[in-house]
Amino acid sequence: MTVTSSDFENNQMIPKRHTGFGDDLSPELVLKDMPEETVSVAIIMDDLDVPFVREFPHWIIWNIPPVSVIPQGIPKGKAINTPFSAFQGKAWGKHVYRGPKQPPFIRKAHRYRFSVFALDTMLGISSDAGKARLLKAMSGHVLAKTEISGIYEPS
């Protein structure tokens, strides 16, 4: 399974519109070669460069149907119905994609990783779940995993 984006290349700059300094739109993600047995997809977006934290989640979403394109601009909310039904857990304290937005005292480049998981089940966890709960629920159900990373540095 692979993931690409029409919004940025792997390990390249994430456009401002996909950050907290812009429109905070989730980027489009294109999935290829997903296992035929895939029942649902989950995504975790982590900031890999937050001081004193190994990985800081900016977005967690699960129970996405096995689609080939996850469009940009996934709406806010615990449960979404457009463009498909899915659940967004708490990342950065909110049920929404929160793009790169380093605080004013940290204006260096940060790396952001989008991890995409093909799962053999729909997950029955509360939308109040965070990253740790999502990872636990996915344990034993991951058919494939792929990643794409981007960089953002405020000007």
Side-chain angles (χ1 to χ4, degrees):
M1 182 169 80
T2 62
V3 61
T4 58
S5 178
S6 62
D7 296 307
F8 65 95
E9 296 289 325
N10 191 38
N11 294 318
Q12 298 300 311
M13 293 297 290
I14 297 171
K16 187 175 181 177
R17 72 175 183 249
H18 299 293
T19 76
F21 299 105
D23 298 325
D24 227 2
L25 292 173
S26 59
E28 178 183 83
L29 299 174
V30 179
L31 306 176
K32 292 184 181 171
D33 302 321
M34 194 179 313
E36 288 183 28
E37 307 84 13
T38 303
V39 173
S40 70
V41 173
I43 301 169
I44 299 173
M45 177 199 172
D46 286 311
D47 181 337
L48 303 177
D49 294 309
V50 173
F52 310 112
V53 180
R54 188 169 158 225
E55 299 172 350
F56 185 82
H58 275 244
W59 188 33
I60 57 174
I61 183 169
W62 64 89
N63 286 358
I64 299 168
V67 295
S68 59
V69 177
I70 298 167
Q72 70 173 269
I74 296 298
K76 298 177 182 181
K78 292 180 179 185
I80 62 167
N81 295 312
T82 303
F84 42 68
S85 294
F87 292 99
Q88 294 183 108
K90 282 189 175 179
W92 226 39
K94 304 284 183 184
H95 299 276
V96 65
Y97 169 86
R98 299 290 301 264
K101 189 174 182 186
Q102 298 92 316
F105 55 89
I106 301 176
R107 288 293 189 220
K108 68 175 192 156
H110 279 215
R111 297 167 296 140
Y112 297 87
R113 180 183 62 217
F114 293 79
S115 300
V116 181
F117 303 85
L119 307 173
D120 67 1
T121 190
M122 296 293 270
L123 301 175
I125 57 174
S126 163
S127 59
D128 286 325
K131 179 181 171 181
R133 178 78 175 112
L134 175 59
L135 289 170
K136 183 177 179 182
M138 290 191 308
S139 180
H141 296 287
V142 177
L143 298 170
K145 177 185 176 188
T146 187
E147 300 174 345
I148 186 172
S149 296
I151 302 164
Y152 190 73
E153 182 171 14
S155 49

